[in-house]
């Protein structure tokens, strides 16, 4: 049986003692296998990169939708706040208008009070005027 193994071992080598894989044909074959393996790894890398891009794209879309939703919420809140601000401004205008009206009414009241006081003074002086004119009631 040892003869069989020896024969098998010898058949792997040529007459120079080099193995069949060391011959140019064998080297070409190993290079081809290596290149095929590298190409396979590159393809796997490309596939994983493509998957990464797809994943990144999906995440970007999801982020965009989330940001759009937040933007819409912010716009609605802004409209609400502007409405509240407008109401406050209208109240303030009414208060200032009332204030202006009150000031005008106060001035008119003072003017009327002065007229009343002046007329009372005239009435007090009127009896003396009547007697001077010769009018007697």
């Amino acid at each position: 049986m040892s003869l069989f193994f020896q024969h098998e071992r010898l058949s792997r080598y040529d007459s120079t003692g080099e193995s069949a894989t060391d011959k140019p044909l064998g080297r070409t074959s190993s290079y081809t296998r290596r290149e095929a393996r590298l190409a396979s790894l590159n393809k796997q890398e490309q596939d994983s990169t493509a998957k990464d891009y797809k994943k990144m794209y999906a995440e970007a879309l999801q982020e965009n939708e989330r940001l759009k939703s937040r933007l819409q919420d912010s716009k609605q809140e802004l409209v609400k706040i502007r409405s509240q601000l407008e109401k406050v401004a209208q109240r303030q205008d009414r208060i200032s208008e009332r204030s202006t009206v009150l000031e005008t009414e106060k001035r008119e009241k003072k003017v009327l009070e002065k007229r009343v006081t002046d007329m009372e003074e005239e009435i007090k002086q009127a009896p003396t005027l009547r007697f001077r004119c010769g009018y007697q009631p």
Side-chain angles (χ1 to χ4, degrees), residues 78-129:
L78 180 61
V79 167
K80 182 180 175 183
I81 290 172
R82 281 185 177 164
S83 173
Q84 291 173 349
L85 181 62
E86 185 64 31
K87 287 178 184 178
V88 169
Q90 287 174 354
R91 278 191 227 137
Q92 194 68 21
D93 288 346
R94 281 188 247 136
I95 289 171
S96 67
E97 287 173 9
R98 289 179 190 161
S99 169
T100 305
V101 169
L102 286 174
E103 289 178 21
T104 305
E105 288 176 353
K106 285 180 183 178
R107 278 184 265 164
E108 288 175 1
K109 183 179 177 182
K110 285 182 182 179
V111 168
L112 289 174
E113 286 175 348
K114 186 175 181 191
R115 271 183 79 190
V116 168
T117 306
D118 289 345
M119 290 174 92
E120 287 175 349
E121 287 295 320
E122 284 180 24
I123 291 174
K124 287 179 184 176
Q125 292 177 1
T128 54
L129 287 177

Side-chain angles (χ1 to χ4, degrees), residues 30-68:
S30 68
Y31 285 132
T32 305
R33 283 192 307 256
R34 183 172 182 250
E35 287 175 5
R37 191 173 55 235
L38 288 175
S40 173
L41 289 174
N42 285 339
K43 176 129 177 76
Q44 289 173 358
E45 260 183 41
Q46 288 173 353
D47 289 346
S48 69
T49 303
K51 288 178 185 176
D52 288 345
Y53 285 130
K54 288 178 183 178
K55 182 179 177 184
M56 290 170 52
Y57 179 74
E59 289 173 355
L61 284 178
Q62 188 177 15
E63 179 73 6
N64 284 347
E65 288 302 318
R66 188 182 65 78
L67 291 174
K68 283 179 185 178

Side-chain angles (χ1 to χ4, degrees), residues 63 65-75:
E63 179 73 6
E65 288 302 318
R66 188 182 65 78
L67 291 174
K68 283 179 185 178
S69 175
R70 282 185 60 195
L71 179 61
Q72 188 64 28
D73 292 346
S74 296
K75 284 180 178 180

Side-chain angles (χ1 to χ4, degrees), residues 13-30:
Y13 293 96
D14 65 0
S15 61
T16 61
E18 292 183 351
S19 75
T21 57
D22 289 340
K23 290 182 182 177
L25 180 62
R27 285 185 181 157
T28 305
S29 175
S30 68

